[in-house]
């Protein structure tokens, strides 16, 4: 297998990024810095070190996408474009799926993987993984909204939300909400329970992973090794 393919399939960098790193001496193959990544290696018996980290072939891929409006967070849809359509063909082939859903009009951080077990654990309510959003609303939120969110908002259908952190902007017409659960339209319904309406919603954090502001809406990148490790840690935390 070509070295650049090996590196990109490991999910640590695209071929282009790998070529750039190799030029700077950051790709070591069996102890030797290699600049030409078109060379072939035997994946079963070659030691590849990428930017100081030993990598071995992994069947799993992890991607961060800055989701734009208008895309559904599903792998298929009969009418609407899906987030998968924002990925290049070689990634789409790897059967990635979104870790949790965002509404069609919600933008921001979306993690995609083909590691079903990890995704399942991260989304399980037992694991209390934090998801942080930035929102704006039609009207200022009332005094005491922060405490209401902390003690648990009751939605129109009677569901009692888990404790959530609300940090408002000075004008109280928007701010940050951190949830540890993910019910359908949860933030829109929490704000609606205060007779108000969400006018924009962006996810900015999932567990310890922060939306990379270097990505424009619709752009993606591989998660770094540290980010993957932090997801694994979040999935082990109860
Ligand atoms: N809450 C919502 O209302 N919508 C989302 O997309 C995410 C959280």
């Amino acid at each position: 297998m070509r070295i650049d393919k090996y590196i990109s399939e490991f999910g640590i960098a695209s071929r282009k990024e790998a070529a750039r790193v190799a030029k700077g001496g950051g790709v070591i193959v069996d102890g030797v810095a290699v600049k030409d990544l078109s060379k072939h290696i035997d994946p079963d018996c070659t030691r590849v070190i990428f930017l100081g980290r030993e990598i071995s072939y992994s069947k799993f891929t992890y991607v961060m996408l800055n989701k734009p409006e208008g895309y559904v967070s599903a792998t298929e849809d009969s009418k609407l474009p899906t987030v998968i359509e924002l990925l290049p063909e070689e990634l789409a082939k790897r059967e990635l799926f979104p870790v949790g859903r965002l509404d069609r009009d919600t933008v921001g951080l979306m993690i995609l993987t083909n590691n079903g077990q990890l995704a399942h654990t991260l989304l399980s309510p037992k694991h209390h993984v934090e998801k942080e959003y930035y929102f704006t609303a039609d009207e200022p939120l009332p005094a005491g909204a922060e405490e209401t969110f902390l003690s648990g908002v009751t939605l129109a259908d009677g569901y009692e939300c888990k404790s959530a952190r609300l940090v408002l902007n000075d004008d109280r017409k928007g701010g940050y909400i951190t949830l540890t659960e993910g019910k359908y339209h949860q933030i829109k319904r929490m704000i609606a329970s205060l007779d108000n309406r969400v006018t924009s919603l962006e996810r900015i954090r999932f567990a310890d992973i922060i939306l990379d502001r270097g990505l424009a809406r619709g752009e993606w990148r591989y998660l770094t090794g540290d980010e993957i490790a932090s997801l694994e840690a979040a999935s082990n935390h109860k």
Side-chain angles (χ1 to χ4, degrees):
M1 183 191 282
R2 280 174 63 120
I3 303 171
D4 52 3
K5 183 158 195 270
Y6 180 87
I7 293 170
S8 78
E9 289 210 345
F10 181 68
I12 201 167
S14 66
R15 286 186 182 198
K16 210 162 130 194
E17 285 165 332
R20 192 173 43 75
V21 169
K23 273 202 191 108
V27 178
I28 313 286
V29 176
D30 285 339
V32 180
V34 173
K35 297 225 157 69
D36 175 8
L37 299 189
S38 68
K39 285 192 181 143
H40 282 72
I41 53 167
D42 178 348
D44 293 331
C45 57
T46 310
R47 226 176 138 212
V48 178
I49 298 180
F50 185 85
L51 287 176
R53 176 167 174 215
E54 178 155 7
I55 59 176
S56 58
Y57 189 79
S58 162
K59 58 183 177 194
F60 296 130
T61 301
Y62 306 87
V63 159
M64 169 191 300
L65 170 74
N66 186 349
K67 180 190 172 299
E69 269 190 58
Y71 287 79
V72 290
S73 40
T75 51
E76 278 175 346
D77 193 278
S78 55
K79 291 191 198 85
L80 298 164
T82 72
V83 288
I84 301 297
E85 291 168 42
L86 294 162
L87 303 177
E89 207 178 311
E90 78 261 20
L91 271 183
K93 270 200 313 242
R94 278 188 241 163
E95 302 189 329
L96 303 186
F97 55 85
V99 181
R101 287 181 165 255
L102 290 179
D103 297 337
R104 182 148 65 106
D105 57 355
T106 301
V107 297
L109 177 61
M110 169 138 271
I111 291 166
L112 298 112
T113 184
N114 48 10
N115 185 341
Q117 180 63 53
L118 182 70
H120 178 77
T121 316
L122 287 169
L123 294 173
S124 135
K126 274 197 302 235
H127 287 82
H128 314 289
V129 171
E130 290 195 346
K131 274 106 18 189
E132 186 171 357
Y133 297 83
Y134 182 78
F135 76 101
T136 56
D138 249 347
E139 303 290 336
L141 271 65
E146 292 88 339
E147 289 73 24
T148 309
F149 271 59
L150 260 189
S151 54
V153 171
T154 305
L155 301 180
D157 63 1
Y159 176 75
E160 285 191 23
C161 297
K162 295 211 172 99
S163 176
R165 197 161 56 239
L166 171 66
V167 179
L168 289 170
N169 299 336
D170 288 348
D171 66 3
R172 304 187 65 84
K173 284 181 74 177
Y176 299 87
I177 297 178
T178 306
L179 304 179
T180 55
E181 57 185 341
K183 301 286 171 207
Y184 181 65
H185 288 339
Q186 183 158 353
I187 289 185
K188 289 173 185 159
R189 294 196 290 149
M190 288 168 105
I191 299 295
S193 77
L194 303 172
D195 295 325
N196 203 336
R197 191 180 69 91
V198 167
T199 50
S200 72
L201 188 58
E202 176 182 38
R203 182 155 64 193
I204 57 172
R205 183 169 63 85
F206 185 100
D208 287 334
I209 300 186
I210 294 170
L211 175 63
D212 183 340
R213 294 288 173 187
L215 297 175
R217 298 268 188 246
E219 286 184 348
W220 67 277
R221 68 159 170 80
Y222 290 108
L223 290 192
T224 64
D226 284 350
E227 286 170 335
I228 297 168
S230 84
L231 277 187
E232 278 161 1
S235 80
N236 289 325
H237 180 263
K238 284 196 184 155

